[in-house]
Amino acid sequence: MRTIADINDKINRHCVVVWTIEELKARVVEAGVTQAATEVDVVTTGTFEPMESSGAILNLGHTDPPIKIRQCWLDGVPAYSGFGAVDLYLGATQVAESSDGEEMRERGGGYVIQDLIAGKPVHLRAVGQVTDCYPRASFETTITRDTINQFYLFNPRNLYQNFIVGVNGGDRPLFTYLGPLQPRLGNAVYSNPGAIAPLFNDPDLNLIGIGTRIFLGGGIGYVAWEGTQHFPLQKRLPNRTPIGPAATLALIGDAKQMDARWVRGCYFKSYGPSLMLGVGIPLPVLNEEVVARCAVQDQDLVAPIVDFSIPRRVRPIFGLVSYAQLKSGRIGIDGKSVRVAPLASIYLSRQVAIELKQWIEAGKFLLSEPVAPIPANQTFLSQDAWGSQIAID
Amino acid sequence: MKKRVTLTFPKRSVQMPVTYRLAKDFNVAANIIRAQVAPNQIGKLVLELSGDIDQLDAAIDWMRSQDIGVSFSNREILIDEEICVHCGLCTGVCPTEALSLDPQTFKLVFTRSRCIVCEQCIPTCPVQAISTNL
């Protein structure tokens, strides 16, 4: 029906038809898959949610005399420096330390990344190992994104294809990566924006692969690899969407181009700091199958309700619930009506899809062909307390 | 009867033992709800005063005569629109549903009249967009 080259040609000639994922779903309801597929070239999807497996690579540029950094703090947040002399990796969940080494759990790497992207100055303190080629022992300065050589996000796991709904069946409050969970099923939290989320609309990753150009934090980024904990073999519904956490992607993109509106440091009480990130993926309408997959609605998608009061890797679940029910604000668990709140911003997820649509319409963003597929058959190994197991099935 | 008041102390009054005077001179019990007091700064104190109605009024008149600002306006929850990302996490812990998401736009809606200022939303907010006016 169309190739990515055809679509890029239309983008360059400013005659491309781009719809957000919600515009497409509405059109399919109105006119059907076949008709919608003839009308639209690209569909934009987006999400804005905490993605804690994120971080930034910084290359400072060399000092004179040069230093081989072995320990480093950015606004008090330790950055990993066990590689190139002035290469740093600043993790989103790394907790800040005060000058006397005390942990300051309410501040972390995510906030420093946001501040750098916002153009704010950040204090840097580094301790070096003195060698013949790197004679300097220490270095202290103030950096901004414009005074460091390179600054890009490299996120090992973003964009979970589906996730879970957290509840607390115990009798004390729990503080989790989904926020506070009140005892005796006091509240529930889900973290995926449902039918508008990128990977629900390409469930088998037929369109998205390594090298796919994306919207990352307000700049242009790319799919770098499968994400950590990528689990494409999760059980799936007949519409191919998974019933729990499944595929994930590793993403990369130049942070110097990003906008702090889409990259937000955050903190979960008594859990720790993290990073909220806006990510958008364009889906090329290559054939009708693409539109059929993108037509999926919240009532066709489910997530498992997981009890966090059992502190084990495999926690008991209370069954599956549809995203339509989740978005209604209340779900029934064991005959009890429980208030449920999202953790992804559905409002900002939509804004990402709208912004990406505008970029493509304006000719600022071309689609790319993936250079390799994301693995579709990959088992999931865990570390168990009593020796390791190797899956043989 | 009980009255909830917010007191604002000018710098020079911070040294005065106000709750002691309320108890000793007016037989008014002062339960401190919130306080923000430091040397050489304007202090703020939220009190729940309980006592006889005439003595409460006399106590409030006396505090005003000492240049202490007395306001009856209750604490309020404030949401910084610039910081809020409309994730909605706060809506799940709000017992009165004063915080909710608009079912169409999914933007955060705060219905102030339903808020009981329990403050559970404040630590829940992952981007620190919620505070009280004290």
Side-chain angles (χ1 to χ4, degrees):
Chain A
M1 185 178 246
R2 285 180 200 85
T3 64
I4 287 176
D6 294 340
I7 293 170
N8 282 339
D9 185 49
K10 283 185 166 186
I11 294 172
N12 285 326
R13 289 188 286 115
H14 295 281
C15 62
V16 67
V17 177
V18 191
W19 292 346
T20 67
I21 189 70
E22 287 181 295
E23 289 167 338
L24 177 100
K25 289 178 201 290
R27 185 63 183 147
V28 170
V29 169
E30 200 177 87
V33 168
T34 306
Q35 178 60 29
T38 62
E39 294 172 354
V40 63
D41 301 309
V42 186
V43 177
T44 60
T45 62
T47 186
F48 184 92
E49 59 190 282
M51 302 194 197
E52 67 173 18
S53 191
S54 297
I57 297 265
L58 289 80
N59 177 277
L60 299 179
H62 282 290
T63 58
D64 184 30
I67 183 170
K68 179 167 126 184
I69 298 176
R70 297 296 88 184
Q71 282 181 292
C72 186
W73 295 263
L74 293 163
D75 271 354
V77 180
Y80 181 76
S81 55
F83 46 163
V86 289
D87 288 339
L88 302 172
Y89 189 78
L90 177 62
T93 65
Q94 184 71 51
V95 172
E97 294 171 0
S98 64
S99 49
D100 53 8
E102 284 280 302
E103 280 194 344
M104 295 157 66
R105 291 200 167 191
E106 299 189 9
R107 189 166 161 84
Y111 289 102
V112 178
I113 292 169
Q114 177 188 339
D115 284 350
L116 280 170
I117 288 172
K120 291 184 184 167
V122 166
H123 176 254
L124 178 144
R125 183 166 69 89
V127 176
Q129 176 203 352
V130 175
T131 67
D132 290 340
C133 41
Y134 294 109
R136 191 168 186 143
S138 68
F139 181 55
E140 199 160 343
T141 188
T142 299
I143 60 168
T144 69
R145 69 173 183 182
D146 299 322
T147 64
I148 51 179
N149 186 41
Q150 286 157 302
F151 173 37
Y152 55 94
L153 295 194
F154 184 26
N155 305 334
R157 178 177 2 116
N158 285 170
L159 285 185
Y160 245 119
Q161 183 182 37
N162 204 357
F163 203 62
I164 58 173
V165 183
V167 295
N168 174 6
D171 55 9
R172 67 176 181 92
L174 298 175
F175 299 96
T176 74
Y177 54 72
L178 294 174
L181 295 176
Q182 294 173 340
R184 293 172 287 278
L185 306 178
N187 65 325
V189 178
Y190 65 104
S191 75
N192 188 294
I196 59 175
L199 301 197
F200 268 138
N201 293 287
D202 180 19
D204 290 311
L205 304 188
N206 291 325
L207 305 170
I208 301 166
I210 295 168
T212 296
R213 187 177 292 125
I214 60 168
F215 172 111
L216 180 61
I220 287 176
Y222 295 87
V223 174
W225 201 247
E226 68 197 51
T228 53
Q229 293 170 214
H230 175 60
F231 180 47
L233 296 177
Q234 176 66 273
K235 286 189 193 125
R236 288 174 188 263
L237 300 175
N239 64 18
R240 300 298 303 147
T241 62
I243 62 163
T248 69
L249 295 175
L251 305 180
I252 193 162
D254 183 10
K256 290 192 179 194
Q257 299 171 20
M258 292 182 190
D259 183 334
R261 182 178 177 211
W262 303 114
V263 185
R264 298 289 300 272
C266 63
Y267 170 72
F268 293 99
K269 181 177 162 54
S270 301
Y271 173 74
S274 184
L275 186 71
M276 287 185 171
L277 197 54
V279 179
I281 299 193
L283 301 174
V285 181
L286 304 178
N287 48 51
E288 278 186 25
E289 168 80 6
V290 171
V291 173
R293 292 296 178 216
C294 286
V296 73
Q297 301 276 1
D298 281 323
Q299 61 265 30
D300 309 324
L301 304 168
V302 297
I305 303 171
V306 175
D307 186 354
F308 275 64
S309 66
I310 310 294
R312 297 296 299 269
R313 175 168 58 79
V314 179
R315 300 184 174 102
I317 75 164
F318 286 103
L320 300 171
V321 62
S322 81
Y323 276 87
Q325 284 169 274
L326 292 169
K327 287 187 185 174
S328 77
R330 285 200 173 270
I331 54 174
I333 306 174
D334 277 358
K336 189 180 173 189
S337 171
V338 178
R339 199 143 185 234
V340 59
L343 179 52
S345 171
I346 294 163
Y347 172 72
L348 286 179
S349 298
R350 287 172 168 166
Q351 299 295 313
V352 169
I354 292 168
E355 183 131 341
L356 179 56
K357 172 183 165 171
Q358 289 166 349
W359 284 6
I360 297 171
E361 285 175 339
K364 292 196 294 188
F365 185 104
L366 294 173
L367 307 196
S368 67
E369 298 269 3
V371 295
I374 301 292
N377 287 295
Q378 193 159 297
T379 53
F380 194 95
L381 302 180
S382 297
Q383 298 294 318
D384 282 315
W386 300 286
S388 66
Q389 291 178 345
I390 294 170
I392 50 170
D393 52 342
Chain B
M1 73 172 294
K2 287 184 176 177
K3 272 188 182 170
R4 186 173 279 204
V5 295
T6 302
L7 307 184
T8 308
F9 295 84
K11 285 178 193 170
R12 66 179 175 284
S13 302
V14 168
Q15 309 296 339
M16 191 190 303
V18 173
T19 53
Y20 170 77
R21 298 248 62 98
L22 291 176
K24 186 143 193 316
D25 300 348
F26 301 95
N27 200 27
V28 165
N31 183 18
I32 299 174
I33 310 286
R34 286 176 79 97
Q36 194 174 326
V37 180
N40 287 320
Q41 282 180 20
I42 293 171
K44 279 216 168 196
L45 200 58
V46 178
L47 297 177
E48 189 166 77
L49 302 177
S50 60
D52 178 83
I53 185 163
D54 293 334
Q55 288 185 306
L56 275 180
D57 287 343
I60 290 165
D61 287 344
W62 169 77
M63 287 191 287
R64 287 190 167 139
S65 74
Q66 302 299 308
D67 286 337
I68 297 169
V70 182
S71 110
F72 298 98
S73 60
N74 285 325
R75 287 166 309 148
E76 282 185 327
I77 290 292
L78 304 174
I79 297 168
D80 189 328
E81 287 278 329
E82 294 292 301
I83 298 175
C84 176
V85 294
H86 306 277
C87 68
L89 193 61
C90 56
T91 66
V93 299
C94 178
T96 60
E97 303 191 18
L99 290 162
S100 62
L101 287 173
D102 181 289
Q104 255 70 53
T105 64
F106 280 88
K107 284 183 90 168
L108 185 67
V109 179
F110 180 44
T111 311
R112 197 172 297 278
S113 58
R114 303 182 78 153
C115 176
I116 55 167
V117 203
C118 71
E119 302 186 10
Q120 290 202 75
C121 52
I122 294 176
T124 300
C125 177
V127 292
Q128 295 83 48
I130 310 180
S131 59
T132 60
N133 55 344
L134 180 71

